[in-house]
Short mmCIF file of all heavy atoms in Angstrom, two decimals:
data_model
loop_
_atom_site.label_atom_id
_atom_site.label_comp_id
_atom_site.label_asym_id
_atom_site.label_seq_id
_atom_site.Cartn_x
_atom_site.Cartn_y
_atom_site.Cartn_z
N VAL C 79 0.50 -3.37 -0.82
CA VAL C 79 1.22 -2.24 -1.38
C VAL C 79 1.36 -2.45 -2.90
O VAL C 79 1.24 -3.55 -3.40
CB VAL C 79 2.62 -2.08 -0.73
CG1 VAL C 79 2.47 -1.90 0.77
CG2 VAL C 79 3.50 -3.26 -1.04
N ILE C 80 1.67 -1.34 -3.56
CA ILE C 80 2.00 -1.41 -4.97
C ILE C 80 3.37 -0.80 -5.14
O ILE C 80 3.53 0.42 -5.07
CB ILE C 80 0.98 -0.67 -5.83
CG1 ILE C 80 -0.43 -1.23 -5.59
CG2 ILE C 80 1.33 -0.73 -7.33
CD1 ILE C 80 -1.54 -0.44 -6.27
N PRO C 81 4.42 -1.61 -5.33
CA PRO C 81 5.75 -1.06 -5.55
C PRO C 81 5.72 -0.19 -6.80
O PRO C 81 5.20 -0.57 -7.85
CB PRO C 81 6.63 -2.28 -5.79
CG PRO C 81 5.91 -3.41 -5.04
CD PRO C 81 4.45 -3.10 -5.28
N LEU C 82 6.25 1.02 -6.68
CA LEU C 82 6.22 1.97 -7.80
C LEU C 82 7.05 1.53 -9.01
O LEU C 82 6.78 1.95 -10.13
CB LEU C 82 6.66 3.37 -7.35
CG LEU C 82 5.82 3.98 -6.24
CD1 LEU C 82 6.33 5.35 -5.92
CD2 LEU C 82 4.34 4.07 -6.59
N ASN C 83 8.06 0.71 -8.78
CA ASN C 83 8.89 0.26 -9.89
C ASN C 83 8.35 -0.90 -10.64
O ASN C 83 8.80 -1.21 -11.77
CB ASN C 83 10.33 -0.08 -9.40
CG ASN C 83 10.34 -1.15 -8.33
OD1 ASN C 83 9.38 -1.40 -7.68
ND2 ASN C 83 11.49 -1.80 -8.25
N THR C 84 7.33 -1.60 -10.10
CA THR C 84 6.78 -2.74 -10.85
C THR C 84 5.27 -2.55 -11.14
O THR C 84 4.77 -3.05 -12.11
CB THR C 84 6.89 -4.05 -10.01
OG1 THR C 84 6.10 -3.98 -8.81
CG2 THR C 84 8.35 -4.35 -9.71
N GLY C 85 4.53 -1.87 -10.22
CA GLY C 85 3.12 -1.69 -10.41
C GLY C 85 2.30 -2.92 -10.10
O GLY C 85 1.11 -3.00 -10.38
N VAL C 86 2.94 -3.96 -9.49
CA VAL C 86 2.27 -5.22 -9.21
C VAL C 86 1.89 -5.24 -7.72
O VAL C 86 2.73 -5.03 -6.86
CB VAL C 86 3.20 -6.43 -9.57
CG1 VAL C 86 2.51 -7.76 -9.20
CG2 VAL C 86 3.58 -6.38 -11.03
N TYR C 87 0.66 -5.51 -7.42
CA TYR C 87 0.17 -5.57 -6.04
C TYR C 87 0.96 -6.63 -5.27
O TYR C 87 1.26 -7.70 -5.78
CB TYR C 87 -1.30 -5.90 -6.01
CG TYR C 87 -2.18 -4.84 -6.60
CD1 TYR C 87 -2.31 -4.71 -7.98
CD2 TYR C 87 -2.87 -3.96 -5.80
CE1 TYR C 87 -3.10 -3.71 -8.53
CE2 TYR C 87 -3.67 -2.95 -6.36
CZ TYR C 87 -3.78 -2.86 -7.72
OH TYR C 87 -4.56 -1.87 -8.26
N LYS C 88 1.26 -6.31 -4.00
CA LYS C 88 2.06 -7.23 -3.17
C LYS C 88 1.53 -7.14 -1.73
O LYS C 88 1.29 -6.07 -1.24
CB LYS C 88 3.51 -6.78 -3.26
CG LYS C 88 4.47 -7.45 -2.37
CD LYS C 88 5.85 -6.83 -2.60
CE LYS C 88 6.81 -7.19 -1.46
NZ LYS C 88 8.07 -6.53 -1.61
N LEU C 89 1.48 -8.30 -1.10
CA LEU C 89 1.07 -8.34 0.29
C LEU C 89 2.34 -8.39 1.18
O LEU C 89 3.23 -9.21 0.96
CB LEU C 89 0.25 -9.61 0.59
CG LEU C 89 -0.14 -9.81 2.07
CD1 LEU C 89 -1.11 -8.70 2.53
CD2 LEU C 89 -0.78 -11.16 2.26
N VAL C 90 2.43 -7.46 2.10
CA VAL C 90 3.55 -7.37 3.04
C VAL C 90 3.01 -7.72 4.40
O VAL C 90 2.09 -7.08 4.89
CB VAL C 90 4.24 -5.98 3.04
CG1 VAL C 90 5.40 -5.94 4.02
CG2 VAL C 90 4.65 -5.60 1.63
N THR C 91 3.53 -8.77 5.04
CA THR C 91 3.06 -9.18 6.39
C THR C 91 3.31 -8.07 7.42
O THR C 91 4.18 -7.21 7.21
CB THR C 91 3.71 -10.50 6.83
OG1 THR C 91 5.11 -10.25 6.98
CG2 THR C 91 3.46 -11.62 5.86
N ASP C 92 2.59 -8.14 8.50
CA ASP C 92 2.71 -7.11 9.53
C ASP C 92 4.14 -6.97 10.02
O ASP C 92 4.66 -5.82 10.16
CB ASP C 92 1.78 -7.41 10.72
CG ASP C 92 0.33 -7.18 10.36
OD1 ASP C 92 0.04 -6.38 9.47
OD2 ASP C 92 -0.52 -7.77 11.02
N GLY C 93 4.79 -8.07 10.35
CA GLY C 93 6.14 -8.03 10.88
C GLY C 93 7.13 -7.43 9.88
O GLY C 93 7.98 -6.62 10.24
N GLU C 94 6.99 -7.82 8.63
CA GLU C 94 7.86 -7.30 7.61
C GLU C 94 7.65 -5.79 7.38
O GLU C 94 8.57 -5.04 7.25
CB GLU C 94 7.66 -8.03 6.28
CG GLU C 94 8.57 -7.58 5.14
CD GLU C 94 8.29 -8.28 3.83
OE1 GLU C 94 7.52 -9.28 3.82
OE2 GLU C 94 8.81 -7.82 2.81
N PHE C 95 6.38 -5.40 7.38
CA PHE C 95 6.06 -3.97 7.16
C PHE C 95 6.66 -3.13 8.30
O PHE C 95 7.30 -2.11 8.04
CB PHE C 95 4.53 -3.79 7.09
CG PHE C 95 4.11 -2.38 6.72
CD1 PHE C 95 4.11 -2.04 5.36
CD2 PHE C 95 3.78 -1.45 7.65
CE1 PHE C 95 3.73 -0.72 4.98
CE2 PHE C 95 3.40 -0.16 7.32
CZ PHE C 95 3.38 0.19 5.96
N THR C 96 6.45 -3.55 9.53
CA THR C 96 6.98 -2.77 10.66
C THR C 96 8.50 -2.77 10.69
O THR C 96 9.14 -1.74 10.96
CB THR C 96 6.44 -3.33 12.00
OG1 THR C 96 5.01 -3.29 11.98
CG2 THR C 96 6.98 -2.58 13.16
N SER C 97 9.12 -3.91 10.33
CA SER C 97 10.57 -3.99 10.41
C SER C 97 11.24 -3.00 9.45
O SER C 97 12.36 -2.56 9.69
CB SER C 97 11.07 -5.40 10.12
OG SER C 97 10.92 -5.74 8.77
N ARG C 98 10.59 -2.63 8.38
CA ARG C 98 11.15 -1.68 7.46
C ARG C 98 11.44 -0.32 8.10
O ARG C 98 12.36 0.39 7.70
CB ARG C 98 10.18 -1.47 6.27
CG ARG C 98 10.03 -2.65 5.44
CD ARG C 98 8.89 -2.45 4.51
NE ARG C 98 8.95 -3.36 3.40
CZ ARG C 98 8.23 -3.26 2.29
NH1 ARG C 98 7.46 -2.24 2.13
NH2 ARG C 98 8.33 -4.16 1.38
N PHE C 99 10.63 0.03 9.08
CA PHE C 99 10.83 1.31 9.78
C PHE C 99 12.09 1.29 10.64
O PHE C 99 12.61 2.33 11.01
CB PHE C 99 9.59 1.65 10.67
CG PHE C 99 8.37 2.03 9.86
CD1 PHE C 99 7.60 1.07 9.23
CD2 PHE C 99 8.05 3.35 9.70
CE1 PHE C 99 6.49 1.43 8.48
CE2 PHE C 99 6.95 3.75 8.95
CZ PHE C 99 6.16 2.80 8.37
N PHE C 100 12.58 0.10 10.95
CA PHE C 100 13.77 -0.05 11.79
C PHE C 100 15.01 -0.41 10.98
O PHE C 100 16.12 -0.25 11.43
CB PHE C 100 13.51 -1.08 12.90
CG PHE C 100 12.40 -0.65 13.84
CD1 PHE C 100 11.14 -1.09 13.67
CD2 PHE C 100 12.69 0.19 14.92
CE1 PHE C 100 10.11 -0.69 14.50
CE2 PHE C 100 11.72 0.59 15.80
CZ PHE C 100 10.40 0.15 15.58
N ARG C 101 14.80 -1.03 9.79
CA ARG C 101 15.96 -1.53 9.00
C ARG C 101 16.48 -0.48 8.00
O ARG C 101 17.46 -0.76 7.32
CB ARG C 101 15.53 -2.75 8.19
CG ARG C 101 15.29 -4.00 9.00
CD ARG C 101 15.07 -5.18 8.09
NE ARG C 101 14.20 -4.78 7.00
CZ ARG C 101 13.41 -5.60 6.33
NH1 ARG C 101 13.38 -6.86 6.62
NH2 ARG C 101 12.64 -5.16 5.37
N THR C 102 15.80 0.65 7.88
CA THR C 102 16.28 1.66 6.97
C THR C 102 16.78 2.89 7.73
O THR C 102 16.42 3.13 8.89
CB THR C 102 15.13 2.12 6.03
OG1 THR C 102 14.02 2.53 6.82
CG2 THR C 102 14.71 0.98 5.08
N ASP C 103 17.65 3.65 7.10
CA ASP C 103 18.15 4.87 7.69
C ASP C 103 17.04 5.90 7.80
O ASP C 103 16.99 6.62 8.80
CB ASP C 103 19.31 5.45 6.87
CG ASP C 103 20.47 4.52 6.75
OD1 ASP C 103 20.66 3.67 7.65
OD2 ASP C 103 21.21 4.60 5.74
N GLU C 104 16.20 5.98 6.78
CA GLU C 104 15.12 6.94 6.74
C GLU C 104 13.88 6.31 6.09
O GLU C 104 14.00 5.56 5.13
CB GLU C 104 15.50 8.19 5.90
CG GLU C 104 16.64 8.97 6.37
CD GLU C 104 17.04 10.03 5.36
OE1 GLU C 104 16.54 10.05 4.21
OE2 GLU C 104 17.85 10.91 5.73
N ILE C 105 12.73 6.69 6.56
CA ILE C 105 11.47 6.40 5.92
C ILE C 105 10.85 7.73 5.56
O ILE C 105 10.73 8.61 6.41
CB ILE C 105 10.53 5.57 6.83
CG1 ILE C 105 11.01 4.16 7.03
CG2 ILE C 105 9.11 5.54 6.22
CD1 ILE C 105 10.89 3.24 5.84
N HIS C 106 10.47 7.90 4.32
CA HIS C 106 9.76 9.10 3.88
C HIS C 106 8.35 8.74 3.55
O HIS C 106 8.12 7.84 2.70
CB HIS C 106 10.46 9.73 2.65
CG HIS C 106 11.81 10.30 2.95
ND1 HIS C 106 11.99 11.67 3.18
CD2 HIS C 106 13.02 9.71 3.12
CE1 HIS C 106 13.25 11.87 3.47
NE2 HIS C 106 13.91 10.68 3.44
N ILE C 107 7.40 9.37 4.18
CA ILE C 107 5.96 9.14 3.95
C ILE C 107 5.39 10.37 3.23
O ILE C 107 5.43 11.45 3.82
CB ILE C 107 5.21 8.83 5.23
CG1 ILE C 107 5.82 7.65 5.96
CG2 ILE C 107 3.73 8.64 4.92
CD1 ILE C 107 5.22 7.41 7.32
N TYR C 108 4.97 10.18 2.01
CA TYR C 108 4.32 11.23 1.27
C TYR C 108 2.80 11.05 1.47
O TYR C 108 2.22 10.05 1.01
CB TYR C 108 4.71 11.21 -0.19
CG TYR C 108 6.14 11.64 -0.37
CD1 TYR C 108 7.18 10.74 -0.18
CD2 TYR C 108 6.45 12.94 -0.71
CE1 TYR C 108 8.48 11.11 -0.30
CE2 TYR C 108 7.78 13.33 -0.86
CZ TYR C 108 8.80 12.44 -0.64
OH TYR C 108 10.12 12.82 -0.79
N ASP C 109 2.23 11.98 2.17
CA ASP C 109 0.86 11.86 2.65
C ASP C 109 -0.19 12.11 1.57
O ASP C 109 -0.13 13.09 0.81
CB ASP C 109 0.65 12.90 3.78
CG ASP C 109 -0.64 12.74 4.49
OD1 ASP C 109 -1.13 11.64 4.63
OD2 ASP C 109 -1.14 13.77 5.00
N ASP C 110 -1.12 11.16 1.45
CA ASP C 110 -2.35 11.34 0.65
C ASP C 110 -2.09 11.62 -0.82
O ASP C 110 -2.66 12.53 -1.38
CB ASP C 110 -3.18 12.48 1.29
CG ASP C 110 -4.62 12.45 0.88
OD1 ASP C 110 -5.10 11.36 0.49
OD2 ASP C 110 -5.27 13.48 0.96
N ILE C 111 -1.21 10.83 -1.42
CA ILE C 111 -0.89 11.01 -2.81
C ILE C 111 -2.04 10.53 -3.71
O ILE C 111 -2.39 11.19 -4.72
CB ILE C 111 0.38 10.28 -3.18
CG1 ILE C 111 1.57 10.84 -2.45
CG2 ILE C 111 0.64 10.32 -4.69
CD1 ILE C 111 1.90 12.29 -2.73
N SER C 112 -2.65 9.44 -3.38
CA SER C 112 -3.79 8.88 -4.12
C SER C 112 -4.96 8.70 -3.17
O SER C 112 -4.85 7.95 -2.22
CB SER C 112 -3.43 7.56 -4.79
OG SER C 112 -4.51 7.05 -5.47
N ASP C 113 -6.02 9.44 -3.39
CA ASP C 113 -7.14 9.32 -2.43
C ASP C 113 -8.43 8.90 -3.07
O ASP C 113 -9.47 8.86 -2.44
CB ASP C 113 -7.36 10.65 -1.66
CG ASP C 113 -7.62 11.82 -2.61
OD1 ASP C 113 -7.67 11.60 -3.82
OD2 ASP C 113 -7.78 12.92 -2.08
N ASP C 114 -8.43 8.54 -4.35
CA ASP C 114 -9.62 8.06 -5.02
C ASP C 114 -9.82 6.60 -4.70
O ASP C 114 -8.92 5.78 -4.92
CB ASP C 114 -9.53 8.26 -6.53
CG ASP C 114 -9.50 9.71 -6.92
OD1 ASP C 114 -10.09 10.55 -6.20
OD2 ASP C 114 -8.86 10.06 -7.93
N VAL C 115 -10.93 6.26 -4.14
CA VAL C 115 -11.25 4.89 -3.77
C VAL C 115 -11.87 4.17 -4.93
O VAL C 115 -12.76 4.71 -5.62
CB VAL C 115 -12.17 4.85 -2.55
CG1 VAL C 115 -12.52 3.42 -2.14
CG2 VAL C 115 -11.51 5.55 -1.38
N VAL C 116 -11.42 2.92 -5.18
CA VAL C 116 -12.02 2.07 -6.24
C VAL C 116 -13.43 1.79 -5.87
O VAL C 116 -13.74 1.29 -4.78
CB VAL C 116 -11.22 0.76 -6.38
CG1 VAL C 116 -11.93 -0.16 -7.35
CG2 VAL C 116 -9.82 1.02 -6.82
N GLU C 117 -14.35 2.05 -6.77
CA GLU C 117 -15.75 1.71 -6.58
C GLU C 117 -16.16 0.70 -7.61
O GLU C 117 -15.98 0.94 -8.81
CB GLU C 117 -16.59 2.96 -6.64
CG GLU C 117 -16.33 3.92 -5.48
CD GLU C 117 -17.32 5.04 -5.44
OE1 GLU C 117 -18.43 4.92 -6.00
OE2 GLU C 117 -17.00 6.06 -4.84
N MET C 118 -16.69 -0.42 -7.16
CA MET C 118 -17.07 -1.49 -8.06
C MET C 118 -18.58 -1.47 -8.21
O MET C 118 -19.30 -1.34 -7.19
CB MET C 118 -16.62 -2.83 -7.55
CG MET C 118 -15.11 -2.91 -7.27
SD MET C 118 -14.14 -2.79 -8.74
CE MET C 118 -14.26 -4.41 -9.35
N ASP C 119 -19.10 -1.63 -9.41
CA ASP C 119 -20.53 -1.73 -9.64
C ASP C 119 -20.74 -2.93 -10.51
O ASP C 119 -20.90 -2.84 -11.73
CB ASP C 119 -21.01 -0.45 -10.34
CG ASP C 119 -22.50 -0.43 -10.50
OD1 ASP C 119 -23.21 -1.17 -9.78
OD2 ASP C 119 -23.02 0.32 -11.36
N VAL C 120 -20.71 -4.10 -9.85
CA VAL C 120 -20.77 -5.36 -10.55
C VAL C 120 -21.99 -6.14 -10.12
O VAL C 120 -22.34 -6.14 -8.92
CB VAL C 120 -19.48 -6.21 -10.26
CG1 VAL C 120 -19.61 -7.58 -10.88
CG2 VAL C 120 -18.29 -5.49 -10.81
N GLU C 121 -22.66 -6.78 -11.05
CA GLU C 121 -23.71 -7.72 -10.73
C GLU C 121 -23.32 -9.10 -11.25
O GLU C 121 -22.80 -9.20 -12.35
CB GLU C 121 -25.03 -7.28 -11.38
CG GLU C 121 -25.63 -6.05 -10.77
CD GLU C 121 -27.03 -5.73 -11.37
OE1 GLU C 121 -27.71 -6.66 -11.81
OE2 GLU C 121 -27.36 -4.55 -11.41
N PHE C 122 -23.57 -10.09 -10.47
CA PHE C 122 -23.30 -11.47 -10.90
C PHE C 122 -24.47 -11.95 -11.74
O PHE C 122 -25.65 -11.68 -11.47
CB PHE C 122 -23.14 -12.38 -9.69
CG PHE C 122 -21.88 -12.06 -8.88
CD1 PHE C 122 -21.99 -11.63 -7.57
CD2 PHE C 122 -20.65 -12.20 -9.43
CE1 PHE C 122 -20.90 -11.32 -6.83
CE2 PHE C 122 -19.49 -11.86 -8.71
CZ PHE C 122 -19.61 -11.44 -7.39
N ASP C 123 -24.15 -12.71 -12.79
CA ASP C 123 -25.15 -13.28 -13.69
C ASP C 123 -24.95 -14.77 -13.76
O ASP C 123 -24.13 -15.26 -14.52
CB ASP C 123 -25.05 -12.63 -15.07
CG ASP C 123 -26.15 -13.08 -15.99
OD1 ASP C 123 -26.96 -13.93 -15.61
OD2 ASP C 123 -26.18 -12.60 -17.15
N GLU C 124 -25.72 -15.51 -12.94
CA GLU C 124 -25.57 -16.95 -12.87
C GLU C 124 -25.91 -17.62 -14.19
O GLU C 124 -25.51 -18.72 -14.45
CB GLU C 124 -26.48 -17.53 -11.74
CG GLU C 124 -26.03 -17.12 -10.36
CD GLU C 124 -26.51 -15.73 -9.97
OE1 GLU C 124 -27.28 -15.13 -10.69
OE2 GLU C 124 -26.07 -15.26 -8.89
N GLN C 125 -26.70 -16.95 -15.03
CA GLN C 125 -27.13 -17.55 -16.30
C GLN C 125 -25.95 -17.70 -17.27
O GLN C 125 -26.01 -18.47 -18.23
CB GLN C 125 -28.18 -16.67 -16.96
CG GLN C 125 -29.41 -16.45 -16.09
CD GLN C 125 -30.10 -17.74 -15.74
OE1 GLN C 125 -30.25 -18.65 -16.56
NE2 GLN C 125 -30.52 -17.87 -14.49
N GLN C 126 -24.86 -16.99 -17.02
CA GLN C 126 -23.72 -17.08 -17.93
C GLN C 126 -22.74 -18.18 -17.56
O GLN C 126 -21.77 -18.39 -18.28
CB GLN C 126 -22.97 -15.73 -17.97
CG GLN C 126 -23.80 -14.60 -18.58
CD GLN C 126 -23.01 -13.37 -18.72
OE1 GLN C 126 -21.77 -13.36 -18.76
NE2 GLN C 126 -23.73 -12.24 -18.85
N ILE C 127 -22.96 -18.87 -16.45
CA ILE C 127 -22.07 -19.95 -16.09
C ILE C 127 -22.43 -21.18 -16.93
O ILE C 127 -23.57 -21.62 -16.96
CB ILE C 127 -22.21 -20.29 -14.59
CG1 ILE C 127 -21.76 -19.10 -13.75
CG2 ILE C 127 -21.41 -21.56 -14.23
CD1 ILE C 127 -21.92 -19.29 -12.28
N GLU C 128 -21.44 -21.76 -17.61
CA GLU C 128 -21.65 -22.91 -18.42
C GLU C 128 -21.32 -24.17 -17.64
O GLU C 128 -20.34 -24.20 -16.88
CB GLU C 128 -20.78 -22.87 -19.69
CG GLU C 128 -21.14 -21.73 -20.59
CD GLU C 128 -20.27 -21.70 -21.84
OE1 GLU C 128 -19.71 -22.76 -22.20
OE2 GLU C 128 -20.19 -20.65 -22.46
N ARG C 129 -22.12 -25.18 -17.81
CA ARG C 129 -21.93 -26.48 -17.16
C ARG C 129 -22.04 -27.58 -18.22
O ARG C 129 -22.93 -27.52 -19.07
CB ARG C 129 -22.98 -26.69 -16.06
CG ARG C 129 -22.85 -25.73 -14.93
CD ARG C 129 -23.92 -25.95 -13.86
NE ARG C 129 -23.76 -25.04 -12.73
CZ ARG C 129 -24.28 -23.83 -12.74
NH1 ARG C 129 -24.97 -23.36 -13.77
NH2 ARG C 129 -24.11 -23.05 -11.68
N PRO C 130 -21.16 -28.55 -18.13
CA PRO C 130 -21.25 -29.67 -19.09
C PRO C 130 -22.49 -30.55 -18.77
O PRO C 130 -22.88 -30.66 -17.64
CB PRO C 130 -19.95 -30.45 -18.90
CG PRO C 130 -19.53 -30.12 -17.53
CD PRO C 130 -20.03 -28.70 -17.23
N GLN C 131 -22.98 -31.13 -19.81
CA GLN C 131 -24.13 -32.04 -19.66
C GLN C 131 -23.54 -33.46 -19.41
O GLN C 131 -22.98 -34.06 -20.34
CB GLN C 131 -25.00 -32.08 -20.89
CG GLN C 131 -25.62 -30.73 -21.20
CD GLN C 131 -26.62 -30.28 -20.12
OE1 GLN C 131 -27.27 -31.12 -19.50
NE2 GLN C 131 -26.66 -28.98 -19.84
N THR C 132 -23.61 -33.96 -18.21
CA THR C 132 -23.13 -35.33 -17.91
C THR C 132 -24.26 -36.09 -17.29
O THR C 132 -25.20 -35.61 -16.72
CB THR C 132 -21.95 -35.30 -16.96
OG1 THR C 132 -22.39 -34.67 -15.73
CG2 THR C 132 -20.78 -34.50 -17.54
N ARG C 133 -24.11 -37.45 -17.38
CA ARG C 133 -25.17 -38.33 -16.81
C ARG C 133 -24.84 -38.72 -15.39
O ARG C 133 -25.66 -39.17 -14.68
CB ARG C 133 -25.28 -39.52 -17.70
CG ARG C 133 -25.82 -39.15 -19.03
CD ARG C 133 -26.14 -40.32 -19.85
NE ARG C 133 -26.61 -39.82 -21.14
CZ ARG C 133 -26.83 -40.54 -22.17
NH1 ARG C 133 -26.59 -41.81 -22.10
NH2 ARG C 133 -27.24 -40.00 -23.26
#
Side-chain angles (χ1 to χ4, degrees):
V79 301
I80 303 173
L82 300 181
N83 59 336
T84 66
V86 178
Y87 295 78
K88 173 181 163 184
L89 177 66
V90 180
T91 63
D92 288 335
E94 181 183 350
F95 188 82
T96 301
S97 72
R98 294 169 163 194
F99 287 80
F100 297 95
R101 289 187 319 206
T102 55
D103 299 334
E104 299 172 349
I105 291 286
H106 291 261
I107 301 173
Y108 290 81
D109 189 31
D110 200 22
I111 298 297
S112 179
D113 59 1
D114 294 329
V115 177
V116 173
E117 294 188 21
M118 305 294 280
D119 185 20
V120 175
E121 289 185 30
F122 294 116
D123 185 357
E124 293 81 8
Q125 302 302 317
Q126 292 186 23
I127 297 176
E128 294 181 23
R129 294 181 179 84
Q131 299 294 327
T132 60
R133 295 188 181 169

